[in-house]
Amino acid sequence: MAYITVFKAKNIITMDPNRPEATHVAVRDGKILAVGGADCAAQWGEYVTDDSLAQSVLMPGFVEGHAHMMAGAMWQYAYAGFHDRTDPDGKLWTGMTTIDAVVTRLAEFAATLADGEPLVAWGFDPIFLPTERLNRRHLDQIAADRPVVVMFSSFHVMCVNSAALDMAGYDEDTEVEGVLTDGNGTPTGELQEMAAMFPVMHRVGFDFKKLSQEETSIWSYGKVANRVGVTTITDLFATIEGDALDTLLRVTADDKFPIRIVPTIGAMGATADQIAAQAKELALQSTDKLRLGGVKLMTDGSIQGWTARVKWPGYVGGQPNGIWNTAPDQIYELCEVMQREGIKMNIHTNGDEASEVVIDAIEAAMRKHPWTGARHVLQHAQMMGVDQFERAAELGICVNLFANHIWYFGDQHAALTIGEDRASRMDGCRSAADAGVHFTIHSDAPVTPLGPLFTAWCAVNRTTMSGRTLGEAQRLTLMEGLHAITLGAAYTMGLDSEIGSITAGKQADFAVLDEDPTAVDPAALKDVTVLGTVLGGRVHLL
Amino acid sequence: MNDKRLPLTVIGGYLGAGKTTLINKLLTDPQGQRLMVLVNDFGAINIDAALLESADEDTLTLTNGCVCCTMGADLFMAIADVLDRNPRPDHLIIEASGVADPSKIAAAAKAEKDMQYGGIITVVDAENFPKLLDDPMIGAQIKTQTTCADLLLVSKTDSIPAALQAQLSTLSGAEQLLADQVQTVADLLITPWDRPVSAPFARPHPDYVHWSATAGPQFSRDGLRALLATRPPGLFRLKGFVCGDDGRGFLVQGVGSSVSLSRIDQPAQTSLVGIGLKGRVTKADCDQWWSTP
């Protein structure tokens, strides 16, 4: 008979109303056997008590419903962002608030590379450095003998040095859209949009998608998640081709691998039937730590890129409405096929016109192919109003709101994109909760850093970078915020029978914290220190 | 002219317009070219079994040297894979998705020094186009697909309705052809056309106008640009070397409304060739244009 371990903790926040708090949790076979006091496992037989977490507070392992494997893979490259960020090994990379700081940091990084090896950096965002535009002269200070490529956080723009321009064949004779030039026709180093970036990316071998499928990247993803208390995480829009599945199966099966991954394949580049067939085939390969079978649909673009499809009155700057990456007709077809085949969908919708089309499409599919409990999830769903939340609740559609946007882009949204009124109610957690929608909140890592306590802090406080509170009425209570990153997220992923609360019968997945997040000032929620996690009863401390 | 750059032609148009039909025809009769075609899905690709050498999950290999691949979720990575192929195909054709802006894909051929722009074909469904153009959801994207075209192929009709012809003309100066004029499409965009006039184009219909020039002044960049901007609209393709006034020359390449200039060593003499559809342009038009002071 398997033996029983009883973990003693300073406090356990279970997120289960039957026993909201406890001091001990008993684990057998990787699952929660009992929750309560020191003797909670007594009726189950002999047990040993593990005191290694006795000074910690336990919560259910955090669940991230919208992130990408790239969040780990990126760290093979240099970080060039404005905000502080921690790498998979726990090293804090302080934010670079001037171009000089970027140059200095990247020069240090260049010194660690082999001769001639390209220097690639990521995370640079000119929105936060409005004084001077990054150009080739800055990057030439870093290196003249190797290509230097700084990818902007939008992924639509990059800046490169002279060596990289030479590789691509861009010079004063170049007349190519997106290759920016100065008054004399000389390229500045800034390359806009994929077509102009492509010749450089191709030559420096810059391929995040391929990188994301590598074994080291999967391990990095595990580490990034482990640092912030995450035990279950999606990889939305995964590419699982060739031997990628075998790699995923092998890595996740390792006892030392600290997370469960829920990859959903991108519904693009094939017919709806082919995508459905691939998803169903993958579903058969699922394990405890690798949950396959879902799909991700794209619809519109992004709000800050003015490519989201928004309803009247549109964008405050008068920009034209955004673009569909999947035609509404195709959205209808995909929804119908996935619903018919019993495949759970995650659907990217930023603008409120996109969320409306998707709700309509799911409703139409449901009429044809009834399937209660599908729990399709609208991802981002940033501009949904009460009317759309009510419909989502009626139809059993879940939403995953982009709470981190409030902090990072809230000021921009109020001033430059959708204006004050709609920015105040965007990522409307309160409206979703009040309408009875099952919802969670997310980081979209690496777009913003992974960190569910930070994400909950955003939803609870709605503070922006400028320090204002954007839409006080949409704030969640602290407990609601914690619910959203645990049981709420688990529900949207259809995994609430297994994870999301510290309840007998569920997986023994815990976030290990140094203080009780329910006892701190809500404004300090993001500052609660994560010490590690427990996954299936195995302790993974940092 | 020995040009090793891989030509890229993009086929755009909304869902169901007839992009796949065109691709099927080009694959079946590739005019001796080893075409590489990237498509969104194989669903409607219909290749005669006798022509099929092998087929797997995402690649069809044809006995005539053509290859058809699904592009997967990342178009640009698929283009990178094509460039890495050895040997490279003679011509790359990409089927844009039903909502894609074909010019954003074709722009890669203008930026990438190992590729050359080979035009945008937009397929327009005669029955649905006017309605789609007015659709508040999708109209703006349909319009973009039309305005960027070098060649408009009108499908699902035996003759282009006058109203549609007029509507398309207001959106784009591109040549309008019927979708079954695949031979013309191939002649204008796929087969190498800048060869001595003796060999190809012996077909009775449709007819082409061939034009060439071997003289002209030495140009500044701006001067050449200005002159090219006024070229006869029916001069569908234009290619050649032009002497520059700064000791270096220009490689000129025009397709439809697009024209590109790149710098090369000064050629011994200016040498330009062009092709257009008979009835749309005459040699005299071209000569007159080129001799404009």
Side-chain angles (χ1 to χ4, degrees), chain A residues 136 144 160-171 200 203, chain B residues 113:
Chain A
R136 69 192 290 182
V160 306
N161 71 345
S162 299
L165 289 170
D166 287 346
M167 278 174 92
Y170 291 151
D171 57 26
V200 170
R203 285 174 178 79
Chain B
K113 62 184 177 184

Side-chain angles (χ1 to χ4, degrees), chain A residues 194-261:
Chain A
M194 250 330 270
M197 299 192 294
F198 171 73
V200 170
M201 292 176 76
H202 180 47
R203 285 174 178 79
V204 300
F206 182 75
D207 182 350
F208 279 132
K209 284 239 166 61
K210 210 170 271 172
L211 194 64
S212 290
Q213 299 187 19
E214 286 174 10
E215 191 156 339
T216 50
S217 303
I218 304 170
W219 276 101
S220 293
Y221 200 41
K223 287 185 187 175
V224 165
N226 179 229
R227 303 208 78 82
V228 291
V230 168
T231 50
T232 299
I233 189 166
T234 48
D235 174 23
L236 287 187
F237 217 83
T239 312
I240 305 178
E241 291 165 351
D243 51 12
L245 176 61
D246 289 337
T247 308
L248 270 172
L249 285 166
R250 188 175 62 249
V251 172
T252 52
D254 192 321
D255 279 345
K256 293 192 285 299
F257 190 69
I259 51 170
R260 304 178 199 282
I261 304 185

Side-chain angles (χ1 to χ4, degrees), chain A residues 167-168 170 173 175-176 194-195 198-199 202-203 207 209 269-271 309 324-325 327-330 353 357, chain B residues 14-15 40-41 74 76-77 79-80 84 99 107-108 110-114 136-138 141 221 225 248 263:
Chain A
M167 278 174 92
Y170 291 151
D173 294 328
E175 290 182 17
V176 170
M194 250 330 270
F198 171 73
H202 180 47
R203 285 174 178 79
D207 182 350
K209 284 239 166 61
T271 63
R309 288 292 305 197
W324 296 102
N325 290 308
D329 288 350
Q330 275 173 310
E353 188 177 76
V357 164
Chain B
Y14 192 61
L15 306 165
N40 288 297
D41 67 72
D74 195 326
F76 282 87
M77 289 307 145
I79 297 176
D84 290 341
V99 284
K110 294 180 176 172
E112 171 55 58
K113 62 184 177 184
D114 287 349
M137 287 282 182
I138 209 77
Q141 282 169 268
R221 186 182 196 108
R225 272 238 162 262
R248 291 199 296 156
R263 296 311 303 258

Side-chain angles (χ1 to χ4, degrees), chain B residues 133-149:
Chain B
L133 196 62
D134 282 344
D135 186 321
M137 287 282 182
I138 209 77
Q141 282 169 268
I142 298 292
K143 186 176 168 186
T144 303
Q145 293 174 351
T146 313
T147 52
C148 72

